Amino acid sequence: MLTLLCFGYGYVAKALATRLLSANAQWRIIGTRRPGADSGASGEPQGVRLVPFDATTPLHDDVLRRATHIVSSIPPDDDGDVVLRLHGADMARRAHTVSWLGYLSATSVYGDAKGKTVTEETPTAPVSETGRRRAAAETEWLGLAEQTEAPVGVFRLGGIYGPGRNALARLIAGKTAFRITKPGHVLNRIHVDDIVETLLAAMAKPRSGDVYNVVDNAPASAADVIAYAAELLGRPAPPAVPFEKAELSPAGRRFFEENKHVDNGRIKQALGVVLAYPTYREGLNALYKAGAAEKEY
């Protein structure tokens, strides 16, 4: 029996779990949730067990003992990576029984490249607090690989989208009233299915200490993505508002402060990944067709 332990049973972890369970009956999934949160057990497929975990609630030893594969998507806090803080030593002791460990990071670790291309070899230079925390957590996870020779991979994800989490859904829900335009500003995205495909490829070829950019082929502006989603829905695009005049939250403003093209060659060359959705257009087209068939749109 193979067991995937998901520290943080969120959007990506659920998609990965669903894929594993549908493809192989030998898998079981353990996902963590915040203590006191609704377990959601009734809404999860058979084979998924949810357990409480946070900075003050470590896992029981039997949970870690069962894990053959581990993935973490829990953001680091002020004191660093909570998973390694509580269970780094435990995982190091069990490195010989764990076939693969993955840490889901973000391309925010690169900071602002002023529109230039960055690769996994580009030094990290985060400008946001979340980016700095992510970069520090990456160092911790890669340190685990060096100490134990455990097969740890770090995955720097672009802007995640997929079912229920995309520009189409935002427009339908009325959450996108305008398009912010900033000349030259682009962002790499990645469909959740392509993230899952990359993680599965990495699990099949565990390599210690590797870092991967998990992004699409062509970065695009937020305004172009919204306009294309509106076109698919047969709606006029929301009015354009220049970045300088837009009323944004601090988080929204930070989004536009980082501009870079992220290279994804390594996942293709080292892992053999073929993206199902190489750009946002293919991704939104597929989501629109699926939604139309299910009458979601």
Side-chain angles (χ1 to χ4, degrees):
M1 179 68 73
L2 300 172
T3 299
L4 173 67
L5 170 58
C6 303
F7 281 103
Y9 191 65
Y11 189 71
V12 174
K14 289 180 181 180
L16 177 59
T18 300
R19 178 73 174 275
L20 288 173
L21 292 171
S22 65
N24 190 333
Q26 295 302 307
W27 279 98
R28 60 186 171 189
I29 311 296
I30 302 175
T32 72
R33 58 182 174 84
R34 292 192 178 110
D38 180 9
S39 68
S42 61
E44 297 302 331
Q46 185 176 2
V48 176
R49 172 189 172 195
L50 299 183
V51 297
F53 173 80
D54 68 3
T56 61
T57 310
L59 294 178
H60 291 296
D61 187 65
D62 71 299
V63 173
L64 282 169
R65 189 167 56 245
R66 294 171 185 270
T68 59
H69 298 71
I70 297 173
V71 63
S72 176
S73 59
I74 296 179
D77 59 24
D78 291 338
D79 298 317
D81 189 280
V82 62
V83 173
L84 294 182
R85 188 162 69 245
L86 295 185
H87 293 299
D90 298 327
M91 288 190 287
R93 285 195 296 270
R94 293 186 175 83
H96 62 287
T97 63
V98 177
S99 300
W100 175 84
L101 301 96
Y103 174 64
L104 306 189
S105 185
T107 56
S108 59
V109 299
Y110 292 115
D112 180 22
K114 302 189 184 305
K116 296 181 180 179
T117 298
V118 296
T119 72
E120 292 87 350
E121 304 302 322
T122 303
T124 58
V127 295
S128 67
E129 181 60 29
T130 55
R132 285 189 286 270
R133 288 180 178 181
R134 285 289 190 189
E138 287 187 5
T139 299
E140 292 185 61
W141 279 91
L142 293 173
L144 177 65
E146 292 176 358
Q147 295 168 14
T148 67
E149 296 185 359
V152 178
V154 169
F155 302 86
R156 294 171 176 165
L157 309 184
I160 303 169
Y161 73 102
R165 183 172 169 174
N166 56 75
L168 294 163
R170 290 185 63 82
L171 283 169
I172 292 167
K175 295 180 179 179
T176 302
F178 52 85
R179 293 176 297 127
I180 300 174
T181 59
K182 186 178 183 182
H185 182 269
V186 294
L187 168 73
N188 281 90
R189 293 161 182 80
I190 187 70
H191 193 290
V192 67
D193 288 353
D194 284 327
I195 298 175
V196 169
E197 197 64 38
T198 301
L199 295 178
L200 292 176
M203 291 164 67
K205 295 180 181 179
R207 296 158 58 99
S208 184
D210 273 6
V211 178
Y212 301 97
N213 291 331
V214 187
V215 298
D216 59 7
N217 290 349
S221 72
D224 285 350
V225 174
I226 294 170
Y228 189 71
E231 180 182 335
L232 287 175
L233 294 171
R235 301 182 178 188
V241 175
F243 170 73
E244 295 77 9
K245 296 182 179 180
E247 296 182 3
L248 294 170
S249 66
R253 191 157 293 276
R254 284 195 299 270
F255 171 85
F256 284 93
E257 290 174 352
E258 298 184 15
N259 185 19
K260 52 188 170 282
H261 289 63
V262 183
D263 179 83
N264 64 4
R266 181 173 289 180
I267 61 171
K268 299 173 181 177
Q269 296 158 13
L271 300 178
V273 172
V274 177
L275 296 177
Y277 309 104
T279 76
Y280 71 89
R281 289 177 176 269
E282 291 87 353
L284 289 182
N285 283 342
L287 289 166
Y288 175 75
K289 291 177 182 177
E294 298 166 8
K295 298 183 179 180
E296 293 177 358
Y297 301 138

